[in-house]
């Protein structure tokens, strides 16, 4: 499954590798949703500036994790306080979760999500939310297998780095000890 992959908290030295993994994740993860010209135009340099800023001056209770295999970042997760106006106190949001295409289905995505959920739960957060493109059925299946469910919220969201507007739905789950323990057991959740 995910043998040989280490999940760890990112450092500033990971900014370029995070950017490269982020762009790879977008290119394969959204190729059936967005025009190829938009995906081909994604800039690693733009993403590197974004990741550098996040890692230099992280927001309160925001955390970035990388999955690394043989010294190469093959996945990432970014989690922090929910910015949603209707978020209840104690709500964290999984802002990003991407893995390389050849890593998908190996358990690495589950490990990244578990690391992110465990970290914010340890900081006192009780709810985890995320926004996902409603047409991204593969990601939606992954999140549902991880115990998240649509909570009825939807939005049209423009992206700051690409000229798209996505129709997104919000998923939510409680961060209780039982669900976190389930995440730690390998093989309990289906892969992405």
């Amino acid at each position: 499954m995910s043998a040989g992959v280490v999940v760890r908290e990112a450092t500033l030295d990971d900014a370029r590798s995070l950017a490269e993994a982020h762009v790879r994740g977008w290119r394969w993860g959204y190729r059936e949703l967005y025009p190829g010209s938009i995906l081909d135009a994604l800039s690693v340099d733009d993403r590197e500036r974004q990741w550098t800023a996040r890692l230099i001056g992280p927001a309160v209770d925001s955390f970035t994790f990388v999955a690394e295999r043989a010294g190469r970042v093959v996945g990432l997760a970014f989690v922090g306080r929910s910015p949603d106006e209707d978020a209840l106190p104690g709500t964290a949001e999984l802002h990003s979760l991407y893995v390389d295409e050849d890593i998908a289905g190996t358990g690495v995505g589950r490990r990244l999500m578990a690391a992110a959920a465990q970290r914010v739960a340890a900081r006192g957060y009780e709810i985890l939310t995320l926004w996902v493109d409603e047409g991204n059925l593969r990601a939606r299946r992954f999140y549902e297998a991880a115990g998240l469910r649509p909570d009825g919220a939807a939005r049209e969201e423009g992206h700051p780095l690409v000229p798209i507007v996505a129709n997104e739905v919000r998923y939510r789950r409680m961060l209780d000890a039982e669900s976190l323990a389930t995440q730690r057991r390998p093989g309990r959740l289906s892969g992405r």
Side-chain angles (χ1 to χ4, degrees):
M1 290 234 330
S2 61
V5 174
V6 174
V7 173
R8 61 173 174 78
E9 196 154 353
T11 69
L12 184 56
D13 290 339
D14 294 313
R16 183 73 180 183
S17 296
L18 278 161
E20 292 166 349
H22 201 168
V23 167
R24 288 192 308 268
W26 262 73
R27 286 184 176 153
W28 87 267
Y30 296 114
R31 70 175 160 229
E32 295 174 9
L33 297 172
Y34 304 139
S37 58
I38 289 175
L39 299 176
D40 291 342
L42 291 172
S43 167
V44 172
D45 291 337
D46 288 345
R47 293 295 166 109
E48 183 178 12
R49 284 188 286 278
Q50 178 187 46
W51 283 110
T52 298
R54 282 183 181 159
L55 294 168
I56 285 176
V60 174
D61 288 344
S62 70
F63 307 96
T64 303
F65 294 89
V66 295
E68 191 175 53
R69 180 177 65 185
R72 180 174 186 236
V73 172
V74 295
L76 64 100
F78 174 60
V79 65
R81 179 180 297 151
S82 172
D84 294 341
E85 290 181 12
D86 65 344
L88 297 171
T91 301
E93 181 176 314
L94 183 66
H95 300 287
S96 300
L97 177 66
Y98 294 98
V99 297
D100 284 357
E101 186 171 12
D102 65 324
I103 293 295
T106 65
V108 172
R110 289 190 310 270
R111 288 178 57 195
L112 283 163
M113 177 173 255
Q118 290 165 12
R119 178 60 58 88
V120 292
R123 298 289 288 196
Y125 289 89
E126 299 172 343
I127 301 167
L128 180 67
T129 62
L130 61 88
W131 290 93
V132 61
D133 189 301
E134 71 179 342
N136 193 341
L137 301 181
R138 178 181 41 248
R140 293 180 72 172
R141 284 190 303 269
F142 171 81
Y143 294 130
E144 288 171 10
L148 289 110
R149 298 290 177 258
D151 70 2
R155 68 182 183 188
E156 282 189 356
E157 182 72 10
H159 195 280
L161 297 179
V162 292
I164 59 163
V165 175
N167 294 312
E168 297 179 327
V169 292
R170 187 172 60 196
Y171 276 63
R172 163 186 317 260
R173 77 165 233 217
M174 298 303 294
L175 291 173
D176 56 51
E178 181 179 335
S179 66
L180 291 174
T182 300
Q183 278 192 336
R184 284 188 218 115
R185 288 195 288 262
R188 292 282 307 212
L189 304 174
S190 63
R192 188 174 194 182

